[in-house]
Amino acid sequence: MKILVFGSFNIDKVYSLPRLPQQGETLYCENYEIHVGGKGLNQALAFKKAGADVVVAGKVGKDGDYLTDYLEANGVDTSLIDRSDGFTGHTIIEVEPGGQNQMILFGGANREITRDYCDKVLAENADADLIMMQYETSCVEYMIEAAYKAGIKTAVNPSPYVKAVNSLPYDKIDFIIANESEGAGITGEKDTESIVRSLCALNNGKVILTLGDKGSIYSDGANQVFVPAFMVDAVDTTGAGDTFTGYCLTRLIGGDSPETALRIASAASALEVTVTGAAETIPDMKAVSEFLKNYPV
Ligand code: RIB
């Protein structure tokens, strides 16, 4: 299975705080770490750890070797990554005990991607089984349209949610994978059932809605599956959604039932949140299988 991840590559600067700060407040930070990150990079790693062959496309700056070296060391094909004279994207991530976070995102090179680059990436990956996108790069809308014309399946994680996400061509997206607040933003609905129904109406089915520590839902419009989350002691929830995305789609495209795919993806993200960081803490399939042995169906 070949997955093309068209996405963002960020350097994550993670600050552990006693609690998230309020406006105008200064807090002492108890721990500071630098990690590889970005939704594109994290999802690429999750697809890879779940067993897919992964090619990444996107742009890094002059300080981007840290990210490309990490991807290469983990068996991801980075040969198409473009380079900028500017800075790589980065995030400032504040984490409080229990794992909840808030972020400041500097797009950097992620926002310099051009249509010509998208055309080149697609021309070289016509054999991809899926193109995975998020909303941290430029040209997402163009890439969806171009992939549709080229007959390549698409999955979009409309994250982070901003108003512009509402005008994506959802009827040309095969899989929408979103959390509840993204789903609410896109559909204008408040309750879970209505969000799922409205998302399905947008793309004619194949919607995955993640509900944090409550679980996740898959719907193809006609049939719906809910799988509860595994209860673990979360330390840092950064990257949980990306882990879920890579695992869930790898398993679905590989032919698993939605219930099995959601269960495996939930186990992978449960393991991921027990350690600080995002990409580096995504478990491999062996660890996920071991974890699931403790939770027989
Ligand atoms: O989804 C988590 C990611 O969001 C982080 O790695 C950060 O870089 C932001 O892109």
PDB file of all heavy atoms in Angstrom, residues 263-295:
ATOM      1  N   ARG A 263     -10.648   0.338  16.410  1.00  0.00           N
ATOM      2  CA  ARG A 263     -10.097  -0.255  17.642  1.00  0.00           C
ATOM      3  C   ARG A 263      -8.560  -0.202  17.626  1.00  0.00           C
ATOM      4  O   ARG A 263      -7.929   0.190  18.605  1.00  0.00           O
ATOM      5  CB  ARG A 263     -10.604  -1.704  17.736  1.00  0.00           C
ATOM      6  CG  ARG A 263     -10.271  -2.398  18.996  1.00  0.00           C
ATOM      7  CD  ARG A 263     -10.981  -3.753  19.044  1.00  0.00           C
ATOM      8  NE  ARG A 263     -10.155  -4.728  19.747  1.00  0.00           N
ATOM      9  CZ  ARG A 263     -10.040  -4.794  21.052  1.00  0.00           C
ATOM     10  NH1 ARG A 263     -10.691  -3.961  21.818  1.00  0.00           N
ATOM     11  NH2 ARG A 263      -9.260  -5.710  21.617  1.00  0.00           N
ATOM     12  N   ILE A 264      -7.972  -0.549  16.496  1.00  0.00           N
ATOM     13  CA  ILE A 264      -6.505  -0.527  16.398  1.00  0.00           C
ATOM     14  C   ILE A 264      -5.995   0.917  16.482  1.00  0.00           C
ATOM     15  O   ILE A 264      -5.015   1.213  17.170  1.00  0.00           O
ATOM     16  CB  ILE A 264      -6.056  -1.231  15.099  1.00  0.00           C
ATOM     17  CG1 ILE A 264      -6.307  -2.744  15.247  1.00  0.00           C
ATOM     18  CG2 ILE A 264      -4.593  -0.943  14.770  1.00  0.00           C
ATOM     19  CD1 ILE A 264      -6.069  -3.556  13.989  1.00  0.00           C
ATOM     20  N   ALA A 265      -6.686   1.829  15.802  1.00  0.00           N
ATOM     21  CA  ALA A 265      -6.271   3.238  15.836  1.00  0.00           C
ATOM     22  C   ALA A 265      -6.408   3.814  17.246  1.00  0.00           C
ATOM     23  O   ALA A 265      -5.561   4.596  17.694  1.00  0.00           O
ATOM     24  CB  ALA A 265      -7.110   4.039  14.840  1.00  0.00           C
ATOM     25  N   SER A 266      -7.454   3.417  17.963  1.00  0.00           N
ATOM     26  CA  SER A 266      -7.645   3.901  19.349  1.00  0.00           C
ATOM     27  C   SER A 266      -6.530   3.394  20.241  1.00  0.00           C
ATOM     28  O   SER A 266      -6.035   4.127  21.104  1.00  0.00           O
ATOM     29  CB  SER A 266      -8.965   3.394  19.931  1.00  0.00           C
ATOM     30  OG  SER A 266     -10.023   3.868  19.186  1.00  0.00           O
ATOM     31  N   ALA A 267      -6.144   2.135  20.040  1.00  0.00           N
ATOM     32  CA  ALA A 267      -5.062   1.569  20.853  1.00  0.00           C
ATOM     33  C   ALA A 267      -3.756   2.312  20.565  1.00  0.00           C
ATOM     34  O   ALA A 267      -3.000   2.650  21.483  1.00  0.00           O
ATOM     35  CB  ALA A 267      -4.905   0.081  20.547  1.00  0.00           C
ATOM     36  N   ALA A 268      -3.487   2.592  19.295  1.00  0.00           N
ATOM     37  CA  ALA A 268      -2.249   3.306  18.928  1.00  0.00           C
ATOM     38  C   ALA A 268      -2.232   4.689  19.565  1.00  0.00           C
ATOM     39  O   ALA A 268      -1.219   5.117  20.139  1.00  0.00           O
ATOM     40  CB  ALA A 268      -2.135   3.397  17.402  1.00  0.00           C
ATOM     41  N   SER A 269      -3.355   5.416  19.514  1.00  0.00           N
ATOM     42  CA  SER A 269      -3.322   6.762  20.094  1.00  0.00           C
ATOM     43  C   SER A 269      -3.321   6.721  21.620  1.00  0.00           C
ATOM     44  O   SER A 269      -2.741   7.614  22.255  1.00  0.00           O
ATOM     45  CB  SER A 269      -4.413   7.676  19.526  1.00  0.00           C
ATOM     46  OG  SER A 269      -5.618   7.036  19.472  1.00  0.00           O
ATOM     47  N   ALA A 270      -3.917   5.685  22.207  1.00  0.00           N
ATOM     48  CA  ALA A 270      -3.850   5.558  23.682  1.00  0.00           C
ATOM     49  C   ALA A 270      -2.392   5.398  24.115  1.00  0.00           C
ATOM     50  O   ALA A 270      -1.948   6.018  25.090  1.00  0.00           O
ATOM     51  CB  ALA A 270      -4.668   4.354  24.139  1.00  0.00           C
ATOM     52  N   LEU A 271      -1.638   4.593  23.373  1.00  0.00           N
ATOM     53  CA  LEU A 271      -0.222   4.413  23.710  1.00  0.00           C
ATOM     54  C   LEU A 271       0.560   5.715  23.483  1.00  0.00           C
ATOM     55  O   LEU A 271       1.441   6.074  24.255  1.00  0.00           O
ATOM     56  CB  LEU A 271       0.382   3.306  22.844  1.00  0.00           C
ATOM     57  CG  LEU A 271       0.077   1.874  23.290  1.00  0.00           C
ATOM     58  CD1 LEU A 271       0.488   0.887  22.216  1.00  0.00           C
ATOM     59  CD2 LEU A 271       0.805   1.574  24.599  1.00  0.00           C
ATOM     60  N   GLU A 272       0.206   6.427  22.418  1.00  0.00           N
ATOM     61  CA  GLU A 272       0.961   7.641  22.059  1.00  0.00           C
ATOM     62  C   GLU A 272       0.864   8.732  23.127  1.00  0.00           C
ATOM     63  O   GLU A 272       1.832   9.453  23.374  1.00  0.00           O
ATOM     64  CB  GLU A 272       0.457   8.167  20.705  1.00  0.00           C
ATOM     65  CG  GLU A 272       1.359   9.196  20.052  1.00  0.00           C
ATOM     66  CD  GLU A 272       1.106  10.610  20.515  1.00  0.00           C
ATOM     67  OE1 GLU A 272      -0.015  10.915  20.959  1.00  0.00           O
ATOM     68  OE2 GLU A 272       2.039  11.416  20.454  1.00  0.00           O
ATOM     69  N   VAL A 273      -0.302   8.864  23.781  1.00  0.00           N
ATOM     70  CA  VAL A 273      -0.481   9.968  24.739  1.00  0.00           C
ATOM     71  C   VAL A 273       0.178   9.717  26.098  1.00  0.00           C
ATOM     72  O   VAL A 273       0.193  10.599  26.947  1.00  0.00           O
ATOM     73  CB  VAL A 273      -1.981  10.314  24.956  1.00  0.00           C
ATOM     74  CG1 VAL A 273      -2.652  10.681  23.658  1.00  0.00           C
ATOM     75  CG2 VAL A 273      -2.745   9.181  25.658  1.00  0.00           C
ATOM     76  N   THR A 274       0.739   8.524  26.285  1.00  0.00           N
ATOM     77  CA  THR A 274       1.347   8.242  27.597  1.00  0.00           C
ATOM     78  C   THR A 274       2.785   8.758  27.707  1.00  0.00           C
ATOM     79  O   THR A 274       3.423   8.601  28.747  1.00  0.00           O
ATOM     80  CB  THR A 274       1.330   6.717  27.898  1.00  0.00           C
ATOM     81  OG1 THR A 274       2.019   6.050  26.850  1.00  0.00           O
ATOM     82  CG2 THR A 274      -0.078   6.182  28.010  1.00  0.00           C
ATOM     83  N   VAL A 275       3.311   9.345  26.618  1.00  0.00           N
ATOM     84  CA  VAL A 275       4.678   9.872  26.617  1.00  0.00           C
ATOM     85  C   VAL A 275       4.666  11.280  26.004  1.00  0.00           C
ATOM     86  O   VAL A 275       3.859  11.566  25.119  1.00  0.00           O
ATOM     87  CB  VAL A 275       5.617   8.968  25.760  1.00  0.00           C
ATOM     88  CG1 VAL A 275       7.082   9.306  26.012  1.00  0.00           C
ATOM     89  CG2 VAL A 275       5.365   7.494  26.025  1.00  0.00           C
ATOM     90  N   THR A 276       5.574  12.170  26.457  1.00  0.00           N
ATOM     91  CA  THR A 276       5.650  13.528  25.904  1.00  0.00           C
ATOM     92  C   THR A 276       6.200  13.495  24.485  1.00  0.00           C
ATOM     93  O   THR A 276       7.170  12.794  24.210  1.00  0.00           O
ATOM     94  CB  THR A 276       6.585  14.413  26.771  1.00  0.00           C
ATOM     95  OG1 THR A 276       6.122  14.382  28.103  1.00  0.00           O
ATOM     96  CG2 THR A 276       6.592  15.848  26.281  1.00  0.00           C
ATOM     97  N   GLY A 277       5.581  14.286  23.596  1.00  0.00           N
ATOM     98  CA  GLY A 277       6.029  14.352  22.201  1.00  0.00           C
ATOM     99  C   GLY A 277       4.915  13.888  21.287  1.00  0.00           C
ATOM    100  O   GLY A 277       3.837  13.491  21.739  1.00  0.00           O
ATOM    101  N   ALA A 278       5.193  13.954  19.983  1.00  0.00           N
ATOM    102  CA  ALA A 278       4.168  13.548  19.007  1.00  0.00           C
ATOM    103  C   ALA A 278       4.716  12.399  18.159  1.00  0.00           C
ATOM    104  O   ALA A 278       4.567  11.230  18.504  1.00  0.00           O
ATOM    105  CB  ALA A 278       3.755  14.743  18.162  1.00  0.00           C
ATOM    106  N   ALA A 279       5.425  12.732  17.068  1.00  0.00           N
ATOM    107  CA  ALA A 279       5.882  11.689  16.130  1.00  0.00           C
ATOM    108  C   ALA A 279       6.733  10.617  16.796  1.00  0.00           C
ATOM    109  O   ALA A 279       6.575   9.423  16.538  1.00  0.00           O
ATOM    110  CB  ALA A 279       6.660  12.348  14.999  1.00  0.00           C
ATOM    111  N   GLU A 280       7.653  11.044  17.668  1.00  0.00           N
ATOM    112  CA  GLU A 280       8.597  10.078  18.254  1.00  0.00           C
ATOM    113  C   GLU A 280       7.898   9.077  19.167  1.00  0.00           C
ATOM    114  O   GLU A 280       8.468   8.053  19.516  1.00  0.00           O
ATOM    115  CB  GLU A 280       9.682  10.802  19.058  1.00  0.00           C
ATOM    116  CG  GLU A 280      10.628  11.625  18.207  1.00  0.00           C
ATOM    117  CD  GLU A 280      10.657  13.064  18.655  1.00  0.00           C
ATOM    118  OE1 GLU A 280       9.578  13.612  18.982  1.00  0.00           O
ATOM    119  OE2 GLU A 280      11.749  13.645  18.661  1.00  0.00           O
ATOM    120  N   THR A 281       6.692   9.398  19.594  1.00  0.00           N
ATOM    121  CA  THR A 281       6.021   8.517  20.555  1.00  0.00           C
ATOM    122  C   THR A 281       4.913   7.681  19.897  1.00  0.00           C
ATOM    123  O   THR A 281       4.140   7.021  20.598  1.00  0.00           O
ATOM    124  CB  THR A 281       5.449   9.346  21.729  1.00  0.00           C
ATOM    125  OG1 THR A 281       4.505  10.284  21.211  1.00  0.00           O
ATOM    126  CG2 THR A 281       6.548  10.087  22.450  1.00  0.00           C
ATOM    127  N   ILE A 282       4.858   7.692  18.574  1.00  0.00           N
ATOM    128  CA  ILE A 282       3.861   6.855  17.886  1.00  0.00           C
ATOM    129  C   ILE A 282       4.334   5.402  17.961  1.00  0.00           C
ATOM    130  O   ILE A 282       5.443   5.082  17.536  1.00  0.00           O
ATOM    131  CB  ILE A 282       3.687   7.294  16.409  1.00  0.00           C
ATOM    132  CG1 ILE A 282       3.165   8.732  16.351  1.00  0.00           C
ATOM    133  CG2 ILE A 282       2.732   6.330  15.678  1.00  0.00           C
ATOM    134  CD1 ILE A 282       3.144   9.337  14.963  1.00  0.00           C
ATOM    135  N   PRO A 283       3.508   4.517  18.501  1.00  0.00           N
ATOM    136  CA  PRO A 283       3.948   3.117  18.669  1.00  0.00           C
ATOM    137  C   PRO A 283       3.938   2.365  17.341  1.00  0.00           C
ATOM    138  O   PRO A 283       3.249   2.774  16.402  1.00  0.00           O
ATOM    139  CB  PRO A 283       2.882   2.539  19.605  1.00  0.00           C
ATOM    140  CG  PRO A 283       1.655   3.342  19.311  1.00  0.00           C
ATOM    141  CD  PRO A 283       2.126   4.725  18.967  1.00  0.00           C
ATOM    142  N   ASP A 284       4.704   1.270  17.265  1.00  0.00           N
ATOM    143  CA  ASP A 284       4.618   0.428  16.070  1.00  0.00           C
ATOM    144  C   ASP A 284       3.525  -0.622  16.263  1.00  0.00           C
ATOM    145  O   ASP A 284       2.955  -0.760  17.353  1.00  0.00           O
ATOM    146  CB  ASP A 284       5.971  -0.193  15.705  1.00  0.00           C
ATOM    147  CG  ASP A 284       6.521  -1.070  16.807  1.00  0.00           C
ATOM    148  OD1 ASP A 284       5.743  -1.493  17.689  1.00  0.00           O
ATOM    149  OD2 ASP A 284       7.731  -1.341  16.803  1.00  0.00           O
ATOM    150  N   MET A 285       3.244  -1.345  15.189  1.00  0.00           N
ATOM    151  CA  MET A 285       2.123  -2.292  15.199  1.00  0.00           C
ATOM    152  C   MET A 285       2.327  -3.400  16.237  1.00  0.00           C
ATOM    153  O   MET A 285       1.363  -3.893  16.822  1.00  0.00           O
ATOM    154  CB  MET A 285       1.949  -2.863  13.788  1.00  0.00           C
ATOM    155  CG  MET A 285       0.635  -3.548  13.549  1.00  0.00           C
ATOM    156  SD  MET A 285      -0.814  -2.546  13.969  1.00  0.00           S
ATOM    157  CE  MET A 285      -1.851  -3.787  14.716  1.00  0.00           C
ATOM    158  N   LYS A 286       3.609  -3.752  16.472  1.00  0.00           N
ATOM    159  CA  LYS A 286       3.889  -4.800  17.458  1.00  0.00           C
ATOM    160  C   LYS A 286       3.426  -4.341  18.854  1.00  0.00           C
ATOM    161  O   LYS A 286       2.764  -5.085  19.586  1.00  0.00           O
ATOM    162  CB  LYS A 286       5.402  -5.084  17.456  1.00  0.00           C
ATOM    163  CG  LYS A 286       5.810  -6.269  18.241  1.00  0.00           C
ATOM    164  CD  LYS A 286       7.243  -6.702  17.851  1.00  0.00           C
ATOM    165  CE  LYS A 286       7.774  -7.712  18.838  1.00  0.00           C
ATOM    166  NZ  LYS A 286       8.525  -7.119  19.931  1.00  0.00           N
ATOM    167  N   ALA A 287       3.769  -3.087  19.196  1.00  0.00           N
ATOM    168  CA  ALA A 287       3.365  -2.550  20.507  1.00  0.00           C
ATOM    169  C   ALA A 287       1.843  -2.446  20.597  1.00  0.00           C
ATOM    170  O   ALA A 287       1.252  -2.714  21.658  1.00  0.00           O
ATOM    171  CB  ALA A 287       4.005  -1.186  20.722  1.00  0.00           C
ATOM    172  N   VAL A 288       1.206  -2.067  19.493  1.00  0.00           N
ATOM    173  CA  VAL A 288      -0.259  -1.946  19.494  1.00  0.00           C
ATOM    174  C   VAL A 288      -0.889  -3.323  19.708  1.00  0.00           C
ATOM    175  O   VAL A 288      -1.827  -3.478  20.510  1.00  0.00           O
ATOM    176  CB  VAL A 288      -0.746  -1.305  18.161  1.00  0.00           C
ATOM    177  CG1 VAL A 288      -2.267  -1.331  18.063  1.00  0.00           C
ATOM    178  CG2 VAL A 288      -0.237   0.128  18.049  1.00  0.00           C
ATOM    179  N   SER A 289      -0.362  -4.348  19.039  1.00  0.00           N
ATOM    180  CA  SER A 289      -0.915  -5.705  19.190  1.00  0.00           C
ATOM    181  C   SER A 289      -0.743  -6.194  20.628  1.00  0.00           C
ATOM    182  O   SER A 289      -1.651  -6.809  21.201  1.00  0.00           O
ATOM    183  CB  SER A 289      -0.215  -6.689  18.249  1.00  0.00           C
ATOM    184  OG  SER A 289      -0.341  -6.248  16.936  1.00  0.00           O
ATOM    185  N   GLU A 290       0.427  -5.908  21.223  1.00  0.00           N
ATOM    186  CA  GLU A 290       0.664  -6.298  22.629  1.00  0.00           C
ATOM    187  C   GLU A 290      -0.359  -5.636  23.544  1.00  0.00           C
ATOM    188  O   GLU A 290      -0.944  -6.268  24.418  1.00  0.00           O
ATOM    189  CB  GLU A 290       2.075  -5.854  23.063  1.00  0.00           C
ATOM    190  CG  GLU A 290       3.191  -6.761  22.584  1.00  0.00           C
ATOM    191  CD  GLU A 290       3.048  -8.188  23.108  1.00  0.00           C
ATOM    192  OE1 GLU A 290       2.778  -8.355  24.310  1.00  0.00           O
ATOM    193  OE2 GLU A 290       3.168  -9.121  22.290  1.00  0.00           O
ATOM    194  N   PHE A 291      -0.565  -4.330  23.318  1.00  0.00           N
ATOM    195  CA  PHE A 291      -1.515  -3.558  24.133  1.00  0.00           C
ATOM    196  C   PHE A 291      -2.912  -4.165  24.033  1.00  0.00           C
ATOM    197  O   PHE A 291      -3.614  -4.333  25.031  1.00  0.00           O
ATOM    198  CB  PHE A 291      -1.516  -2.108  23.635  1.00  0.00           C
ATOM    199  CG  PHE A 291      -2.501  -1.198  24.315  1.00  0.00           C
ATOM    200  CD1 PHE A 291      -2.173  -0.539  25.492  1.00  0.00           C
ATOM    201  CD2 PHE A 291      -3.771  -0.974  23.780  1.00  0.00           C
ATOM    202  CE1 PHE A 291      -3.079   0.313  26.124  1.00  0.00           C
ATOM    203  CE2 PHE A 291      -4.683  -0.122  24.398  1.00  0.00           C
ATOM    204  CZ  PHE A 291      -4.327   0.518  25.571  1.00  0.00           C
ATOM    205  N   LEU A 292      -3.303  -4.538  22.819  1.00  0.00           N
ATOM    206  CA  LEU A 292      -4.665  -5.042  22.603  1.00  0.00           C
ATOM    207  C   LEU A 292      -4.902  -6.410  23.253  1.00  0.00           C
ATOM    208  O   LEU A 292      -6.046  -6.772  23.512  1.00  0.00           O
ATOM    209  CB  LEU A 292      -4.974  -5.104  21.101  1.00  0.00           C
ATOM    210  CG  LEU A 292      -5.304  -3.738  20.473  1.00  0.00           C
ATOM    211  CD1 LEU A 292      -5.357  -3.838  18.951  1.00  0.00           C
ATOM    212  CD2 LEU A 292      -6.619  -3.181  21.016  1.00  0.00           C
ATOM    213  N   LYS A 293      -3.809  -7.142  23.513  1.00  0.00           N
ATOM    214  CA  LYS A 293      -3.963  -8.441  24.174  1.00  0.00           C
ATOM    215  C   LYS A 293      -4.602  -8.272  25.559  1.00  0.00           C
ATOM    216  O   LYS A 293      -5.232  -9.174  26.087  1.00  0.00           O
ATOM    217  CB  LYS A 293      -2.604  -9.126  24.333  1.00  0.00           C
ATOM    218  CG  LYS A 293      -2.123  -9.804  23.070  1.00  0.00           C
ATOM    219  CD  LYS A 293      -0.834 -10.551  23.347  1.00  0.00           C
ATOM    220  CE  LYS A 293      -0.208 -10.966  22.041  1.00  0.00           C
ATOM    221  NZ  LYS A 293       1.233 -11.234  22.165  1.00  0.00           N
ATOM    222  N   ASN A 294      -4.390  -7.100  26.159  1.00  0.00           N
ATOM    223  CA  ASN A 294      -4.976  -6.831  27.491  1.00  0.00           C
ATOM    224  C   ASN A 294      -6.458  -6.466  27.412  1.00  0.00           C
ATOM    225  O   ASN A 294      -7.104  -6.279  28.423  1.00  0.00           O
ATOM    226  CB  ASN A 294      -4.236  -5.680  28.172  1.00  0.00           C
ATOM    227  CG  ASN A 294      -2.784  -6.012  28.389  1.00  0.00           C
ATOM    228  OD1 ASN A 294      -2.460  -7.149  28.719  1.00  0.00           O
ATOM    229  ND2 ASN A 294      -1.907  -5.043  28.172  1.00  0.00           N
ATOM    230  N   TYR A 295      -6.939  -6.280  26.181  1.00  0.00           N
ATOM    231  CA  TYR A 295      -8.341  -5.869  26.012  1.00  0.00           C
ATOM    232  C   TYR A 295      -9.032  -6.769  24.988  1.00  0.00           C
ATOM    233  O   TYR A 295      -9.340  -6.340  23.885  1.00  0.00           O
ATOM    234  CB  TYR A 295      -8.418  -4.414  25.522  1.00  0.00           C
ATOM    235  CG  TYR A 295      -7.837  -3.421  26.479  1.00  0.00           C
ATOM    236  CD1 TYR A 295      -6.488  -3.058  26.387  1.00  0.00           C
ATOM    237  CD2 TYR A 295      -8.614  -2.845  27.484  1.00  0.00           C
ATOM    238  CE1 TYR A 295      -5.940  -2.140  27.282  1.00  0.00           C
ATOM    239  CE2 TYR A 295      -8.068  -1.932  28.370  1.00  0.00           C
ATOM    240  CZ  TYR A 295      -6.722  -1.591  28.258  1.00  0.00           C
ATOM    241  OH  TYR A 295      -6.200  -0.677  29.132  1.00  0.00           O
TER     242      TYR A 295
END
